[in-house]
């Protein structure tokens, strides 16, 4: 008997030790907002009660296990693993329907959930006021009371999360007056014609998050362990402040990352349901959540010098033409040249965004980014919008013209601060690093790669999910060892960056040989963007035939290539012709249809 108990004790200790060393449990997260009784009452963020019941019933019948915040934190600590097909159910904004409709359903199904509340909105409800919700004013009667919030919290089924105190709104982000998410936006004062300082920004965020944390505690007796970022947007400054006030889990609206791990609770992504999506499509997204990060990247390169005009009205006209063209393309990304180089030597002489060290040709990049990422949806059923990547040189910046500050700094430090300003001031999904040639910093050297890692560190403070593309113009040579050099360079790039943008040659034969070289590397196809030239640089940049470009894309696809871009795109002259090339580059299922 003693032997048996000893064996049992050792077994329990052994199992516990194994789990304690494996705190990486997976779970899916889903996002809802308001719940209405009928489809006639629906808006873009709501779900009907009958549809929600159907969702809950489907989850129950198909082996999904709704988990609580405590379950996730215990799994992270190695105390108890999550069940298979674990799912975290969340509701944003603190609608009254959470109390009247959702809460009874949670009790009926015995499902735990998270409810995120905006403190000032709940206060406004009790003061019978209206609130600014997006671009309109609505009655605060749409939201719960603090008494109701305390009741659902005391039930043990619901965790009350912070959704900011008064920052679920847009603030002026640029000289054109565009409104963007308050917690991640540097406020632009239209009257003074200047941006707020970094310290002012940080203090504003600190005050808001701390106020809501304390307010929730004073009202329900519990401090929030979760923050749900308004509009899903956050940065590392926000995250650091949230952690300093006791937040354990940070939730976004990242639709590409709603299969999550307890090993990383800093950016929990969610599958976001809206009524314009069929139930079957929604379920398909849930079931295929682990495959979301394998999407193909299709892009075009745009020169911002082509959009700029001294007349602001002309800029708006050009931007509208670009947006129309991108919508026709139905692609996932656009690489926009965010600098100006009138000498056409690849050096950045001035920039199109606010920064500390180079002249600002025109502060329009922020607005262009925002317009594209909010207006160009290439796949409606998954709410996938075309993302903007800022295209800049790595080291080729011309500081001779001077800047607004930092004249005593080294060129290296100025470049780092330019990328910091870029990420702080603009809603970008990625950076395309091109060029990089200088007297002491070769494009492919370990020193250059280390420098780009510093650039990435600076930028990711403000854009944590930022992707980095490294440009690489490969020119085949007959010199001994050239193939080995190419393979070694590619390997170092694959190790350092999310993607490598490899400039291809117009000839199909050379293109296929290049694909073969890339395929020799295990990460080759997964990480290489084949950039197809649309002009013949050996013949005064004469536009290439669009049929030839399509043939190249077909050849790439036949060889298993998934990522490619067109370079450059002339949206004024329809070069290449969208009607011809769309079949090859579009991510739509039937792109050749009108």
């Amino acid at each position: 008997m003693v032997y048996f108990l000893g064996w049992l004790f050792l077994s329990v200790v052994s199992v516990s030790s194994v789990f304690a060393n494996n705190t990486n449990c997976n779970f899916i997260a889903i996002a809802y907002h308001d719940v209405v009784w009928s489809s006639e009452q629906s808006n873009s963020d709501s779900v009907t009660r009958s549809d929600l019941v159907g969702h809950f019933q489907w989850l129950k019948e198909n082996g999904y296990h709704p988990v609580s915040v405590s379950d996730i934190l215990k799994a992270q600590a190695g105390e108890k693993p999550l069940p298979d097909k674990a799912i975290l159910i969340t509701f944003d904004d603190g609608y009254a329907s959470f109390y009247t409709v959702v809460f009874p359903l949670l009790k009926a199904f015995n499902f735990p959930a998270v409810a995120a509340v905006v403190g000032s909105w709940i206060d406004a409800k009790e003061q019978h006021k209206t609130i600014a919700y997006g671009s309109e004013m609505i009655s605060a009667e749409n939201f719960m009371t603090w008494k109701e919030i305390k009741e659902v919290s005391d039930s043990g089924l619901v965790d009350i999360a912070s959704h900011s105190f008064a920052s679920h709104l847009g603030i002026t982000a640029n000289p054109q007056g565009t409104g963007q998410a308050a917690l991640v936006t540097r406020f632009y004062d239209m009257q003074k014609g200047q941006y707020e300082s970094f310290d002012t920004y940080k203090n504003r965020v600190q005050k808001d998050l701390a106020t809501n944390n304390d307010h929730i505690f004073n009202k329900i007796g519990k401090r929030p362990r979760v923050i749900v970022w308004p509009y899903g947007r956050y940065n590392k400054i926000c995250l650091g402040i949230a952690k300093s006030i006791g937040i354990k889990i940070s939730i976004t609206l990242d639709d590409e990352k709603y299969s999550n791990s307890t090993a990383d609770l800093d950016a929990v992504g969610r599958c976001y349901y809206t009524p314009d999506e069929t139930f079957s499509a929604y379920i398909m997204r849930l079931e295929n959540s682990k495959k979301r990060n394998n999407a193909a990247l299709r892009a075009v390169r745009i020169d911002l010098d082509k959009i700029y005009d001294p007349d602001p009205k002309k800029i708006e006209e050009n931007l509208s033409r670009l947006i129309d063209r991108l919508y026709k393309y139905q692609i996932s990304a656009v690489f926009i040249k965010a600098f100006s180089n009138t000498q056409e030597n690849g050096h950045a002489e001035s920039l199109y965004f606010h920064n500390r060290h180079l002249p600002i040709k025109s502060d329009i990049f922020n607005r262009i980014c925002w317009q594209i990422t909010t207006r160009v949806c290439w796949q409606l059923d998954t709410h996938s919008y075309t993302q903007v990547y800022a295209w800049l040189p790595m080291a080729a910046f011309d500081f001779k013209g001077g800047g607004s500050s930092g004249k005593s700094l080294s060129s290296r430090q100025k470049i780092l601060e330019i990328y910091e300003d870029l990420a702080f001031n603009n809603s970008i999904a990625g950076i395309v690093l091109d060029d990089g040639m200088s007297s002491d910093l070769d494009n492919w050297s370990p020193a250059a790669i280390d420098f780009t890692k510093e650039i990435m560190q600076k930028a990711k403070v403000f854009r944590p999910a930022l992707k980095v593309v490294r440009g690489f113009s490969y020119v085949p040579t007959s010199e001994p060892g050239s193939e080995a050099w190419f393979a070694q360079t590619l390997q170092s790039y694959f190790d350092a960056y999310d993607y490598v943008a490899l400039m291809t040659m117009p000839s199909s034969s050379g293109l296929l040989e290049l694909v073969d070289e890339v395929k020799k590397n295990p990460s080759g196809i997964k990480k290489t963007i084949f950039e197809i030239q649309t002009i013949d640089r050996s013949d005064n940049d004469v536009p290439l035939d669009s049929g030839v470009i399509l043939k190249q894309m077909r050849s790439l696809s036949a060889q298993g290539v998934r990522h490619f871009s067109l370079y450059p795109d002339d949206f004024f002259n329809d070069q290449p012709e969208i009607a011809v090339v769309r079949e090859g580059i579009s991510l739509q299922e039937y792109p050749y249809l009108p």
Side-chain angles (χ1 to χ4, degrees), residues 146 149-151 153-154 160 215-223:
W146 284 115
I149 292 169
K150 187 176 190 312
E151 181 183 338
S153 174
D154 289 344
I160 301 302
H215 204 48
I216 290 172
F217 176 73
N218 291 334
K219 294 294 185 178
I220 69 172
K222 299 175 187 175
R223 291 191 179 276

Side-chain angles (χ1 to χ4, degrees), residues 63-78:
Y64 284 86
H65 296 93
V67 293
S68 67
V69 170
S70 292
D71 292 332
I72 291 172
L73 293 176
K74 286 178 180 178
Q76 184 190 52

Side-chain angles (χ1 to χ4, degrees), residues 49 67 113 160 176 192 208 260 311 466 476 491 537-538 576:
R49 181 187 181 279
V67 293
I160 301 302
Q176 296 79 33
K192 295 181 179 179
D208 182 276
N260 303 281
D311 182 356
L466 195 82
Q491 183 61 63
R537 297 190 180 281
S538 65

Side-chain angles (χ1 to χ4, degrees), residues 439-460:
S439 59
D440 61 346
L441 203 60
D442 287 333
N443 206 19
W444 52 83
S445 70
I449 291 175
D450 287 343
F451 184 46
T452 57
K453 288 179 179 178
E454 289 186 63
I455 289 173
M456 290 153 59
Q457 269 187 324
K458 290 285 187 182
K460 287 187 176 184

Side-chain angles (χ1 to χ4, degrees), residues 198-402:
F198 174 75
D199 287 341
T200 301
Y201 161 78
K202 187 175 179 181
N203 290 337
R204 172 167 60 82
V205 174
Q206 170 77 45
K207 181 180 179 181
D208 182 276
L209 299 187
T211 297
N212 211 41
N213 185 289
D214 292 340
H215 204 48
I216 290 172
F217 176 73
N218 291 334
K219 294 294 185 178
I220 69 172
K222 299 175 187 175
R223 291 191 179 276
R225 300 181 290 178
V226 178
I227 189 163
V228 177
W229 299 110
Y231 312 108
R233 298 180 181 273
Y234 77 105
N235 56 38
K236 290 185 179 179
I237 306 300
C238 296
L239 186 59
I241 292 170
K243 286 184 174 182
S244 73
I245 58 175
I247 297 296
K248 306 294 183 185
I249 301 175
S250 170
I251 296 181
T252 76
L253 276 177
D254 186 352
D255 197 52
E256 293 188 357
K257 189 209 163 196
Y258 51 81
S259 180
N260 303 281
S261 164
T262 53
D264 179 12
L265 299 177
D266 284 354
V268 173
R270 295 180 291 172
C271 183
Y272 180 25
Y273 175 80
T274 55
D276 60 0
E277 181 177 28
T278 63
F279 181 59
S280 58
Y282 179 61
I283 295 308
M284 188 175 296
R285 283 205 288 146
L286 283 178
E287 293 284 82
N288 295 325
S289 61
K290 293 181 180 179
K291 301 176 182 178
R292 292 283 293 167
N293 292 329
N294 296 322
L297 189 150
R298 304 290 170 82
V300 295
R301 289 211 189 210
I302 300 292
D303 189 339
L304 203 45
D305 278 339
K306 305 295 184 183
I307 297 177
Y308 171 72
D309 192 278
D311 182 356
K313 291 184 179 179
K314 188 64 176 177
I315 292 176
E316 288 299 308
E317 291 175 9
N318 294 342
L319 176 57
S320 292
R321 293 181 68 169
L322 174 61
I323 287 173
D324 288 343
R325 184 167 176 85
L326 293 175
Y327 188 81
K328 290 176 183 176
Y329 262 128
Q330 298 291 284
I331 53 179
S332 58
V334 54
F335 301 164
I336 296 185
K337 186 178 177 182
F339 65 99
S340 180
N341 62 321
T342 55
Q343 302 298 318
E344 296 186 356
N345 58 5
H347 285 65
E349 303 162 2
S350 59
L351 302 173
Y352 282 105
F353 56 89
H354 180 77
N355 73 97
R356 286 167 276 184
H357 301 301
L358 277 182
I360 304 168
K361 185 164 185 176
S362 180
D363 192 358
I364 60 174
F365 187 62
N366 176 287
R367 174 167 172 76
I368 288 171
C369 288
W370 190 253
Q371 288 288 299
I372 292 171
T373 56
T374 56
R375 290 177 59 186
V376 186
C377 185
W378 60 266
Q379 191 163 311
L380 286 172
D381 60 345
T382 58
H383 315 287
S384 299
Y385 286 80
T386 298
Q387 297 181 322
V388 174
Y389 285 58
W391 161 21
L392 286 169
M394 185 192 78
F397 291 86
D398 183 2
F399 293 114
K400 294 175 184 177

